[in-house]
């Protein structure tokens, strides 16, 4: 049973590329999609479907094939994405379907991998995306009111939805054309806000449904979280758990469009993690109780490149704690545990689709079984223990089963358990750019992983140029009164300068001196950020969403220049009427503390300047025209707010994903070779609120298992490989507060350590149940043993085994120790099987270890291995 394995993912990726080249348009024999109350019916057959959420613009086209292959390898049948209107129509009437917005290419890659596509057109998508996916110009359409019975809005919405449906049809991407698209979505969670729109909201839902159906796309449409979805649209569930959900008609199947397997993060927040055991429990419960389609939101979250993150205040990473991490690497054990779960569900699929509704059996106060039995021939069952504390021993069809707390056991033949959601057999992987170990084990203690790699500074030589405070361009203009931020910027930049003058008399000065009064600037209400400058000097700033600002300022006699920099940090993407929220200032702006009362600046003359000079000159682009005025940066010029910095760097060797450590910087934006890698902000999360342990048991919420308290929310920023060349890459940063670019470093992101812990009592590998030798009876059940599987990232190999013990080892990854019972063969055997290889499998049995180190005791194998890039393994270590 000690055997080496091939590298399946690499092979898949290669196969995929070839396939696209050869076939081009048609991916399947044309097939129809319909549904009944039990499931989607694909080509005449009910199906149990696993779907993986991947948003194409949150990765690069170069990453797509691998992400799709890893989703498939993890057991997905379907890829789900939104369509991102703001990316496809950045200027009204000017469409963009290129690069990261090449939705056709993405759909074709999905099809060529043999997967289906669920396309959620929205076009409102929420998604933590700037303005919920709406292009910002939409708010300037005369008379428009979003997401309600409003003709201008409905016209625009219909135009975009039609555009996408037509494009998909032209490209032959619907199932009945042999394409991958099996399902669409119109609107998004409108049910959450519908009541705010009164009767018009109800009418809008009917209109949206009718409009969508009228496009003749020929596949089913869903509306998520829409209890009043009309007859011909399937209402679906979004949430952490959806096993209690039923659609609004018996004619419709139970579909789960968003299973939140993690959560998003705000600047200054801690990092959420959803334990793999709880996620698997939620999915198993869903299929147990009659569900038939489940999508992970997100299977790969990716990155909010540029200024695409929504808000306010959503960070650039959209990692989401998803099974595939922000960089495209497997997050273990989450990915592996779900892969096993999906394999178990697939073994049940024939019985699940054969039965209209399961038989329900009570097994105890908090234990229940659902049995899917068709005549005598097919039977699959799910046994659940929803007790949050204790395991339970239950009797089911005459056999005794022990069910861990908050878990589901899956019995594809109604007799033997092939999988339990609380028992993880999959490996844990540790990457250096993650600050803490993944939270996954039952009650795991968080620990810091010191970075083993030496810091690799991006450059020692930098150039800099100052960004002027206030007006810099000829397009500034002066009007009376305070304009709403978005009305002026149209979101062409985060930044808007507001400038005015305040006159101070000699009397005022002596009044302040005589009465110890200090004048203060008061702004009734502001969002998302304001920085205040008086006479060229920085006076203070405020962050928040419609918060009051009160800032003491120093004024001199005569005219004083007041400059306010208003900045957005991702536009609002949810809530009723969110388009009306705007940004900048609301109410009065005044200066208090004068003898004769406050000075109201609300009706003063204000000068406006949109954006930064550097943005206007595009000094981040590769072909910058030389007018920026870069000068050499000297150490003593740091820190300096409102500065641009530029350096050139060499890409790390190899093909691993790359990350920049911007932890030495303050707040700003960064570009690599002209590509906007996103906003950065070294804002620190509150010290408190993270748990030392993460208990998977009991209902999850996004505050339950957070890490990174007291540390900056994000310091690592993804630079996609395809944006880099070997050397001479430019990095340009705009820094608002005064960070230190000299300390910026670069790293390749990869799995450095893999660990696993599997005991004799674990279930055999899932794929064995469908192995021809087992099916043909050549391998008897009692010869099926548990196996440990270890795998490094593609292009990496196991260099050393740091720890191996077959016996009764203790501890967890990176803290294993030998117990009383230990086989001396452990290390030599595991090394023999694994060192020099990308992946290896080891059977957990005395036979394999040629030893029984403690007769009568259940043995466990615990292993910790180190992964290194394949090229760096010397000849002597190769097998
Ligand atoms: C849902 C929404 C998604 C996303 C998610 C949170 O309510 O439909 O688009 O915003 O919440 O990540």
């Amino acid at each position: 049973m000690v055997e080496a394995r091939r590298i399946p993912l690499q092979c898949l990726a290669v196969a995929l590329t070839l396939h696209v080249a050869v076939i081009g348009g048609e991916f399947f024999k044309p097939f129809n999609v319909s549904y009944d109350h039990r499931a989607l019916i694909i080509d005449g057959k009910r199906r149990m479907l696993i779907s993986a959420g991947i948003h194409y613009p949150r990765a690069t086209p170069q990453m797509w094939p691998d992400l799709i292959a890893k989703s498939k390898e993890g057991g997905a049948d379907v890829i789900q994405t939104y369509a991102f209107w703001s990316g496809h129509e950045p200027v009204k009437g000017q469409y963009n379907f290129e690069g990261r917005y090449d939705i056709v290419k993405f759909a074709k890659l999905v099809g060529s991998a043999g997967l289906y596509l669920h396309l959620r057109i929205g076009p409102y998508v929420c998604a933590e995306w700037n303005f919920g996916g709406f292009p910002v110009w939409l708010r300037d359409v005369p008379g428009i009111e979003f997401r309600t019975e409003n003709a201008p809005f409905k016209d625009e919405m219909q135009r975009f939805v039609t555009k996408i449906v037509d494009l998909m049809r032209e490209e032959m991407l619907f199932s009945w054309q042999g394409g991958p698209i099996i399902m669409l979505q119109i609107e998004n969670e409108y049910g959450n806000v519908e009541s705010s729109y009164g009767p018009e909201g109800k009418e809008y839902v009917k209109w949206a449904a009718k409009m969508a159906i009228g496009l003749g796309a020929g596949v089913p449409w869903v509306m998520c979280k829409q209890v009043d979805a009309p007859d011909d649209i399937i209402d679906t569930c979004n949430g952490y758990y959806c096993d209690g959900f039923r659609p609004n008609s018996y004619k419709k199947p139970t579909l789960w469009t968003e299973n939140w397997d993690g959560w998003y993060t705000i600047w200054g927040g801690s990092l959420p993690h959803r334990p793999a055991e709880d996620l698997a429990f939620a999915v198993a419960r869903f299929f147990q109780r009659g569900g038939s389609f489940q999508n992970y939101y997100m299977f790969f979250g990716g990155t909010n490149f540029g200024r695409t993150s929504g808000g306010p205040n959503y960070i650039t990473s959209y990692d989401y704690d998803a099974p595939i991490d922000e960089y495209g690497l497997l997050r273990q054990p989450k990915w592996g545990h779900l892969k096993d779960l999906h394999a178990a569900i697939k073994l049940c699929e024939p019985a699940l689709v054969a039965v209209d509704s399961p038989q329900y059996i009570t097994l105890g106060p908090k234990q229940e079984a659902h049995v899917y039995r068709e005549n005598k021939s097919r039977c699959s069952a799910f046994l659940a223990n929803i007790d949050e504390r204790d395991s339970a021993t239950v009797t089911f069809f005459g056999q005794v089963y022990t069910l861990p707390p908050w878990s589901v056991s899956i019995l594809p033949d109604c007799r033997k358990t092939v999988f339990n959601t609380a028992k993880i057999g999959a490996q844990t992987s540790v990457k250096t750019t993650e600050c803490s170990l993944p939270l996954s084990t039952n009650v795991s203690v968080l620990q810091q992983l010191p970075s083993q790699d030496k810091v690799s500074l991006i450059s020692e030589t930098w150039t800099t140029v100052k960004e002027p405070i206030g007006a810099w361009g000829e397009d500034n203009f002066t009007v009376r009164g305070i304009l709403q931020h978005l009305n002026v910027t149209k979101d062409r930049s985060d930044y808007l300068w507001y400038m005015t003058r305040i006159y101070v008399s000699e009397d005022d000065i002596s009044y302040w001196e005589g009465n110890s009064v200090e004048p203060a600037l008061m702004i009734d209400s502001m969002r998302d950020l304001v920085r205040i400058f008086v006479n060229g000097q920085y006076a203070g700033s405020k962050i928040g969403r419609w918060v009051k600002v009160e800032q003491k300022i120093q004024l001199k006699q005569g005219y004083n220049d007041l400059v306010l920099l208003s900045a957005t940090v991702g536009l609002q993407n949810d809530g009723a009427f969110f388009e009306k929220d705007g940004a900048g200032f609301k109410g009065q702006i005044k200066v208090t503390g004068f003898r004769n009362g406050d000075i109201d600046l609300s009706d003063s003359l204000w000068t406006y300047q949109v954006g930064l000079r550097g943005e206007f000159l595009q000094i981040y682009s590769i072909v910058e025209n030389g007018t920026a005025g870069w000068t050499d940066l000297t150490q003593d010029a740091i820190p300096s707010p409102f500065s641009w910095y530029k350096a050139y760097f060499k890409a790390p060797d190899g093909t691993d994903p790359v990350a920049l450590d911007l932890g030495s910087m303050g707040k700003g934006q960064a570009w690599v070779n002209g590509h906007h890698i996103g906003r950065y902000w070294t804002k620190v999360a509150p010290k408190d609120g993270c748990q030392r342990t993460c208990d998977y048991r009991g209902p999850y919420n996004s505050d339950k298992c957070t890490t990174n308290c007291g540390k900056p929310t994000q310091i690592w920023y993804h630079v996609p490989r395809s944006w880099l060349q070997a050397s001479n890459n430019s990095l340009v940063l705009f820094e608002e507060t005064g960070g230190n670019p000299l300390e910026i470093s670069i790293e390749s992101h990869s799995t450095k350590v893999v660990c696993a812990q599997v005991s004799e009592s674990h279930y055999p590998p899932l794929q064995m149940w469908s192995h021809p030798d087992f099916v043909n009876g050549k391998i008897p059940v009692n010869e099926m043993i548990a196996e440990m599987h270890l795998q490094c990232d593609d292009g990496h190999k196991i260099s050393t085994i740091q720890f191996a013990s077959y016996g009764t080892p203790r501890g967890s990854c990176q803290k294993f120790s030998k117990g009383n019972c230990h086989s001396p063969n452990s290390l030599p055997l595991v090394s023999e099987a694994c060192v020099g290889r990308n992946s290896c499998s080891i059977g957990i049995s005395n036979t394999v270890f040629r030893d029984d180190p403690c007769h009568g005791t259940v043995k466990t194998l615990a292993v910790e291995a180190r992964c290194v890039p394949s090229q760096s393994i010397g000849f002597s270590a190769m097998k």
Side-chain angles (χ1 to χ4, degrees), residues 55 82 120 124-129 185 188-189 192 224-225 238 258 260 262-264 297 318 320 573-574:
H55 295 155
Y82 284 125
R120 307 168 84 194
Y124 168 70
V125 298
C126 194
E128 290 69 72
W129 193 263
Q185 175 177 304
N188 189 74
E189 295 193 337
N192 286 353
C224 58
K225 284 204 170 176
N238 292 348
E258 291 181 25
W260 302 323
W263 202 241
Y264 58 87
Y297 188 101
Y318 199 62
Y320 221 85
N573 61 266
D574 66 346

Side-chain angles (χ1 to χ4, degrees), residues 523 526-532 538 540-544 547-551 565 567:
I523 303 172
M526 180 285 313
R527 75 173 288 181
D528 301 319
L529 187 156
V530 63
R531 300 200 189 279
I532 301 161
Y538 175 66
S541 47
K542 179 95 186 183
I543 299 161
V547 287
K548 194 178 166 85
V549 181
E550 213 174 332
Q551 177 67 50
L565 177 66

Side-chain angles (χ1 to χ4, degrees), residues 438-585:
L439 294 167
S440 59
T441 44
N442 180 357
V443 181
S444 62
V445 178
L446 297 186
Q447 52 168 237
Q448 289 306 304
L449 177 73
S451 177
Q452 283 103 359
D453 295 347
K454 60 176 183 350
V455 176
S456 158
L457 291 182
I458 198 152
S459 173
E460 280 167 13
T461 53
W462 285 78
T463 52
T464 185
V465 56
K466 281 274 225 193
E467 177 64 34
I469 306 292
W472 50 262
E474 290 184 350
D475 58 346
N476 73 71
F477 62 93
T478 303
V479 292
R480 196 167 287 286
I482 299 169
L483 303 179
Q484 201 262 88
H485 181 115
L486 285 184
N487 289 346
V488 185
T489 64
K490 312 286 184 201
D491 201 34
R492 283 176 292 149
S493 164
D494 280 359
Y495 303 103
L496 178 60
W497 298 99
Y498 289 72
M499 292 153 283
T500 193
R501 293 188 124 186
I502 308 162
Y503 184 74
V504 170
S505 68
E506 211 179 316
D507 271 6
D508 294 325
I509 301 276
S510 47
Y511 170 70
W512 292 333
E513 283 169 1
N515 295 281
S516 319
V517 173
E518 274 183 276
L521 176 77
M522 304 268 282
I523 303 172
D524 276 352
S525 191
M526 180 285 313
R527 75 173 288 181
D528 301 319
L529 187 156
V530 63
R531 300 200 189 279
I532 301 161
F533 302 84
V534 178
N535 299 323
Q537 295 300 306
Y538 175 66
S541 47
K542 179 95 186 183
I543 299 161
R545 176 166 167 197
W546 299 129
V547 287
K548 194 178 166 85
V549 181
E550 213 174 332
Q551 177 67 50
K552 293 249 183 314
I553 51 176
Q554 285 192 338
L555 299 174
K556 60 174 199 225
Q557 193 194 323
Y559 282 103
N560 290 266
D561 286 323
L562 174 68
V563 175
L564 306 179
L565 177 66
S566 164
T568 50
V569 192
L571 302 190
Q572 183 83 25
N573 61 266
D574 66 346
F577 311 110
F578 74 86
E579 79 274 19
K580 300 198 173 143
D581 209 34
F585 309 120

Side-chain angles (χ1 to χ4, degrees), residues 310-330:
N313 284 325
Y314 299 149
I315 67 171
T316 293
S317 167
Y318 199 62
D319 179 87
Y320 221 85
D321 199 38
I324 302 179
D325 78 7
E326 175 175 6
Y327 299 85
L329 302 181
L330 303 185

